[in-house]
Amino acid sequence: MGKRNRDKQRKQQQRDGKPADDRDRNNAGWGAGYSEIIKENKLFEQYYKELKIVPDGEFEEFMDAMREPLPATIRITGYKSHAKEILHTLKEKYFKDIQDLEVDGQKIEAPQPLSWYPDELAWHTNLSRKILRKSPLLEKFHQFLVSETESGNISRQEAVSMLPPLLLKIEPHHKILDMCAAPGSKTSQLIEMLHSDMDVAFPEGFVIANDSDNKRCYLLVHQAKRLNSPCIMVVNHDASCMPRFQVDKDGGKETLFYDRILCDVPCSGDGTMRKNIDVWKKWTTSNSLHLHGLQVRIAVRGLEQLAVGGRMVYSTCSLNPIEDEAVIATLLERSEGALELADASADLPGLKYMAGVTSWKVMTKEGQWYSDWSEVPANRHTQIRPTMFPPTDPDKLKDMHLERCMRVLPHHQNTGGFFVAVLLKKSHMPWNRRHPRTRNKDKTQASSAEAEVAPDVDQPIADSPPNEAPEAEGEAEGEVTSSETPAAPTAAQQEPAANKDGVCCPPPSKKMRLFGFKEDPFVFLTEDDPVFPPIQAFYDLSPDFPKLNVLTRTHEGKKRHLYMVSKELRNVLINNSERMKVINTGVKVWSRNNDGEEFGCAFRLAQEGIYTLFPYIRARRITISVEDVKVLLTEENPFLSKLSNSAHEQAKKLQMGSIVLRYQPDPNNPDLPQCPIELCGWRGKTSIRAFVPRNERLHYLRMVGVEVFLNKQGRSRGDDAPPEAQEGNTADGDAKSQEGVPLEDKQAATGEENRSSANGAEPVSST
């Protein structure tokens, strides 16, 4: 409600003799929008008391914990070589500075590592988001978190949200699908695990992150791009009918099956009440009843695309068995032995959790309870389904081992509520079993358009999963499981209902409808593209540089940016361009600088992709010292003479243009940073400049012992910094030219010798 409407409403209340509404946000303190929400929900308490998922005698403690604010939790990016340096900085500086503080009468406890997260890379404290953002005493720590989060070195992520990726047991060669990925914290964790070996620029595996909401996909892109990985692709599809993708293998086409799938489905979210306070007043049991069918369809679709021997983690931020054990039981029953519920208790030592339940009841929002499907009246059959109840056969229930599911309760380790289960696929799902077929290489392939609308003609229809009609339709849509591109279906094959011998057929696949923004195309370059020779000569690229992995976002005109993806992702993109909606993929490695043509190359290096590109660059490299890093990142265009003697001599031998500045750690000097630092820069006529976004600049300065602290206006203390140094922006994103090229490119290309401080952030103390 706008201010004008609020004033009008207040005046009307005064005329009617009613007390004026006192919820004016203009006169209220921070967080007034939530203060009016009472953290009470009698139906919620009645429901979970009856289900007995909380141990006897702990329910009041459970409810008290649900009413407390969720503590702040951070995770250090594990695959980055700088992780140990960041951990050292946190322990030795920031944690020590805040552990004895008292804010609003609350003593700040010393941050503690999560006992179950490996290598002390995840920490939690009793600081709430409100205190962290608003307390002047914590301003430096908050700025550190914001800066390092934007540069991808730290993720502020809820503790229980870190569980599913850990249980997937990811290795660098795994092909991974994240079915409902937005906002992207778990996706970032998956990418980190894929890049566990930083010396490998292109792991064999990749992550395909999907979300059905087009707008949320862009939030997902923002999260993923912080990690600068060439092995991530963001797509926009309905997870319940996720299309099958095909890839080239051994001269033929093959259906893509994933080694690992994260199925973090949409849920009622009652485990998030500590941070999403509006759930208190919105929660009813009907939320779970409405979502159960969708959750089953998404999980079934994921299992269909999981490779035999693969692992799928199903998770929700709900405590409700209707969304948790009921879904798992449905999957196990339909699989007819193809699935196994894994025992993951030994995978997370130190984690406190409750075993999955084997009996539960269903309640309507009016408070009516049902213990079995036979008790449900006919007029309720559209809201309550048989799959919402536990199996009635005791032997079948015992064989499912539902106690292997894991439910995290908030009061056990001061976290949010969460549910997670690990499923192993031992064989093909019963409705997907078929005899293997060999590809006839001489047979003419059908067009891609025909392939998109053709159903899988060899699918054993009689073995379709015995579920409700809406779920069967979701599974049929987008199916292409043949090792051969299918031909156009005949009229008999397209019959939607009864077929020969009374066998029920799935409906014909519908042509996929795409919504949201129209993305620019992804165009891969050929090896003989004219853009390569000057780049090859200028940077002396090694012969094994994968030219075919380079792409751009335009068919016509000059190429503004060049991106790189892994060979495996290129395979997926090339073979499925007509059946998938790609939102983003690849990491930027070069950006056009038109004035650079006079120096021999029209493309400058991009900081985002330098760790991917560096192994292939054999020229334009300068080895620098720690003091050189400080000079380059605190001065805008320092003279060459300000560099160390070694770096100065190397720079004098290079002509003007884009360069790589590399600091190599010295293991014999542990006082210096023990992580390599690679910076993109520009060698001018008499000066040199680093092209590094602001937050990364602050990160590298911290690594070499320089602390930068900005005041509320985004300026360094005691310094007149320009407005673009405001918190949360980057150097590349603050000032844009009409062509979308960062202003810094134009300054470097025209030889401007601006002596201002680096993005207005001068160091104020050195340690």
Side-chain angles (χ1 to χ4, degrees):
M1 182 183 295
K3 184 176 185 301
R4 181 179 300 176
N5 287 339
R6 287 199 301 270
D7 292 341
K8 184 177 179 180
Q9 185 184 53
R10 189 178 297 108
K11 292 177 181 178
Q12 182 63 41
Q13 289 173 338
Q14 291 172 352
R15 284 195 296 268
D16 295 342
K18 297 178 181 179
D21 194 340
D22 60 356
R23 294 180 296 176
D24 189 350
R25 293 174 187 259
N26 294 332
N27 300 323
W30 185 89
Y34 279 136
S35 63
E36 62 209 42
I37 297 179
I38 300 174
K39 296 179 181 179
E40 295 286 345
N41 190 308
K42 296 300 181 185
L43 188 64
F44 176 86
E45 295 187 38
Q46 175 192 347
Y47 185 71
Y48 282 109
K49 275 183 179 178
E50 183 69 23
L51 289 181
K52 298 181 180 179
I53 65 168
V54 180
D56 293 338
E58 296 183 16
F59 194 81
E60 291 304 319
E61 187 182 355
F62 164 75
M63 290 304 301
D64 289 342
M66 292 290 274
R67 295 185 180 98
E68 290 294 321
L70 192 67
T73 315
I74 60 173
R75 177 174 52 80
I76 301 171
T77 301
Y79 84 89
K80 295 249 182 173
S81 57
H82 306 162
K84 291 182 180 179
E85 298 292 329
I86 296 173
L87 182 58
H88 176 77
T89 302
L90 277 170
K91 282 183 174 181
E92 299 303 319
K93 178 172 177 55
Y94 292 100
F95 288 166
K96 286 184 177 180
D97 289 347
I98 68 174
Q99 64 183 6
D100 296 325
L101 292 178
E102 188 170 315
V103 179
D104 294 340
Q106 176 184 355
K107 185 177 180 181
I108 305 302
E109 298 175 0
Q112 298 294 325
L114 296 178
S115 59
W116 44 266
Y117 202 94
D119 303 324
E120 290 191 344
L121 292 178
W123 292 70
H124 71 103
T125 174
N126 66 335
L127 287 169
S128 67
R129 291 188 175 187
K130 175 180 177 180
I131 294 176
L132 190 59
R133 290 174 178 172
K134 293 300 177 181
S135 172
L137 299 174
L138 300 171
E139 189 173 353
K140 284 188 179 182
F141 183 46
H142 183 243
Q143 284 194 15
F144 169 81
L145 292 180
V146 170
S147 173
E148 294 295 339
T149 299
E150 285 298 317
S151 58
N153 298 296
I154 279 180
S155 292
R156 287 181 284 180
Q157 181 180 355
E158 188 178 349
V160 290
S161 175
M162 305 176 194
L163 295 173
L166 291 176
L167 293 173
L168 280 172
K169 296 185 177 180
I170 289 169
E171 298 179 14
H173 64 274
H174 283 155
K175 300 173 180 63
I176 308 162
L177 172 64
D178 191 350
M179 300 191 73
C180 309
S185 57
K186 298 182 188 68
T187 306
S188 300
Q189 209 173 337
L190 298 175
I191 299 171
E192 294 173 26
M193 295 175 175
L194 202 63
H195 287 272
S196 56
D197 186 354
M198 274 293 288
D199 294 330
V200 179
F202 292 102
E204 292 182 20
F206 56 78
V207 177
I208 294 181
N210 173 72
D211 201 88
S212 61
D213 189 315
N214 184 263
K215 292 181 179 179
R216 283 168 60 87
C217 281
Y218 292 92
L219 180 60
L220 177 57
V221 168
H222 173 74
Q223 284 274 27
K225 286 180 75 68
R226 297 181 306 126
L227 301 180
N228 300 327
S229 170
C231 303
I232 172 70
M233 180 164 63
V234 177
V235 297
N236 179 202
H237 293 281
D238 180 353
S240 64
C241 49
M242 184 84 180
R244 286 193 186 273
F245 300 141
Q246 294 193 331
V247 291
D248 292 326
K249 187 173 183 179
D250 301 329
K253 300 287 184 185
E254 185 178 273
T255 300
L256 172 63
F257 289 97
Y258 302 94
D259 302 300
R260 298 290 187 268
I261 292 181
L262 175 55
C263 187
D264 186 54
V265 295
C267 64
S268 60
D270 56 21
T272 69
M273 283 180 166
R274 299 184 68 178
K275 66 174 182 179
N276 297 326
I277 307 178
D278 57 340
V279 177
W280 281 98
K281 64 177 183 179
K282 294 180 179 178
W283 188 91
T284 70
T285 55
S286 61
N287 297 339
S288 300
L289 302 181
H290 293 157
L291 287 166
H292 172 83
L294 175 64
Q295 291 163 340
V296 170
R297 293 197 299 273
I298 292 175
V300 165
R301 192 58 181 158
L303 291 169
E304 289 177 342
Q305 303 205 22
L306 184 65
V308 174
R311 172 180 289 239
M312 185 176 93
V313 170
Y314 175 88
S315 63
T316 73
C317 48
S318 169
L319 303 174
N320 197 327
I322 307 301
E323 304 177 64
D324 300 338
E325 284 91 348
V327 174
I328 298 298
T330 301
L331 300 176
L332 292 170
E333 187 170 11
R334 291 184 184 174
S335 72
E336 298 178 6
L339 296 178
E340 177 186 347
L341 184 57
D343 183 0
S345 57
D347 296 337
L348 297 171
L351 176 69
K352 295 180 181 179
Y353 65 92
M354 298 300 298
V357 297
T358 55
S359 64
W360 60 89
K361 297 188 289 186
V362 177
M363 185 177 79
T364 65
K365 64 180 180 180
E366 294 83 15
Q368 179 68 42
W369 288 94
Y370 300 104
S371 300
D372 187 79
W373 168 247
S374 60
E375 301 175 3
V376 181
N379 63 343
R380 292 281 189 182
H381 284 186
T382 55
Q383 295 102 26
I384 301 176
R385 305 299 298 149
T387 55
M388 296 177 184
F389 294 90
T392 54
D393 186 338
D395 293 332
K396 184 181 293 186
L397 182 62
K398 182 179 178 181
D399 292 339
M400 288 182 177
H401 297 290
L402 291 180
E403 70 277 0
R404 294 178 179 175
C405 298
M406 306 167 76
R407 178 177 282 103
V408 179
L409 299 180
H411 64 290
H412 283 166
Q413 288 181 308
N414 197 16
T415 64
F418 205 72
F419 174 88
V420 63
V422 181
L423 293 166
L424 303 180
K425 188 172 180 179
K426 300 188 295 183
S427 63
H428 288 292
M429 303 302 284
W431 57 90
N432 282 131
R433 290 170 188 159
R434 60 165 72 246
H435 296 291
R437 291 172 47 183
T438 57
R439 176 178 171 78
N440 184 359
K441 296 183 180 180
D442 297 328
K443 188 175 180 178
T444 305
Q445 295 184 13
S447 67
S448 59
E450 290 173 329
E452 186 171 1
V453 298
D456 187 355
V457 297
D458 292 327
Q459 191 78 6
I461 302 302
D463 290 334
S464 295
N467 59 321
E468 300 90 317
E471 296 176 13
E473 291 173 3
E475 293 156 11
E477 189 163 352
E479 279 283 325
V480 177
T481 58
S482 174
S483 59
E484 176 181 1
T485 305
T490 64
Q493 291 167 345
Q494 292 188 0
E495 291 178 10
N499 201 349
K500 300 175 182 178
D501 303 322
V503 177
C504 180
C505 295
S509 297
K510 302 172 185 176
K511 186 172 179 65
M512 185 173 58
R513 297 176 63 188
L514 302 180
F515 300 96
F517 301 103
K518 183 178 180 182
E519 291 294 327
D520 293 330
F522 294 83
V523 184
F524 284 95
L525 305 185
T526 59
E527 287 189 317
D528 58 352
D529 193 288
V531 79
F532 280 127
I535 293 178
Q536 180 89 38
F538 191 73
Y539 297 103
D540 189 18
L541 298 180
S542 59
D544 60 340
F545 176 72
K547 295 180 180 178
L548 292 178
N549 294 5
V550 179
L551 60 87
T552 185
R553 300 297 302 271
T554 179
H555 282 291
E556 301 175 353
K558 288 187 175 181
K559 302 172 179 66
R560 286 170 45 196
H561 304 293
L562 300 181
Y563 305 84
M564 286 192 74
V565 297
S566 65
K567 179 179 69 175
E568 289 73 16
L569 267 189
R570 179 185 185 275
N571 192 354
V572 176
L573 270 168
I574 288 290
N575 286 283
N576 301 278
S577 59
E578 295 298 323
R579 65 167 50 250
M580 66 192 305
K581 181 175 181 181
V582 181
I583 301 297
N584 195 277
T585 191
V587 59
K588 182 165 62 175
V589 290
W590 282 292
S591 291
R592 176 174 289 277
N593 184 345
N594 292 326
D595 292 338
E597 293 183 6
E598 62 182 279
F599 309 125
C601 182
F603 287 89
R604 71 165 180 89
L605 297 166
Q607 182 68 28
E608 299 97 305
I610 191 59
Y611 286 97
T612 299
L613 202 56
F614 183 80
Y616 302 102
I617 298 176
R618 300 185 296 185
R620 312 293 300 173
R621 294 163 57 157
I622 298 177
T623 302
I624 57 176
S625 66
V626 168
E627 294 304 316
D628 293 330
V629 174
K630 294 178 182 178
V631 170
L632 289 164
L633 297 180
T634 57
E635 299 185 30
E636 189 72 7
N637 287 303
F639 286 114
L640 295 175
S641 58
K642 288 196 172 185
L643 300 178
S644 62
N645 291 335
S646 173
H648 189 192
E649 290 301 318
Q650 296 173 66
K652 287 196 299 185
K653 296 176 183 178
L654 299 178
Q655 61 177 323
M656 295 173 63
S658 187
I659 55 174
V660 184
L661 304 149
R662 178 178 172 85
Y663 162 76
Q664 186 66 31
D666 181 5
N668 298 321
N669 192 345
D671 294 333
L672 296 178
Q674 294 301 302
C675 58
I677 297 176
E678 291 158 5
L679 310 175
C680 291
W682 187 272
R683 200 276 200 210
K685 187 175 182 181
T686 60
S687 65
I688 197 166
R689 176 178 181 167
F691 278 177
V692 183
R694 186 188 69 90
N695 285 313
E696 286 195 47
R697 192 177 291 246
L698 300 181
H699 162 69
Y700 290 127
L701 284 172
R702 292 189 188 100
M703 294 301 99
V704 296
V706 178
E707 179 62 31
V708 179
F709 178 48
L710 305 179
N711 61 18
K712 289 288 187 180
Q713 286 71 41
R715 301 184 181 186
S716 58
R717 292 292 169 88
D719 191 31
D720 291 330
E724 56 266 23
Q726 291 181 5
E727 185 176 341
N729 296 326
T730 63
D732 275 341
D734 290 335
K736 299 283 185 179
S737 70
Q738 292 181 351
E739 298 177 349
V741 180
L743 183 60
E744 59 182 18
D745 289 7
K746 291 199 168 187
Q747 291 173 342
T750 55
E752 291 185 22
E753 304 287 340
N754 183 6
R755 302 294 169 196
S756 63
S757 63
N759 294 288
E762 283 281 288
V764 295
S765 64
S766 181
T767 56

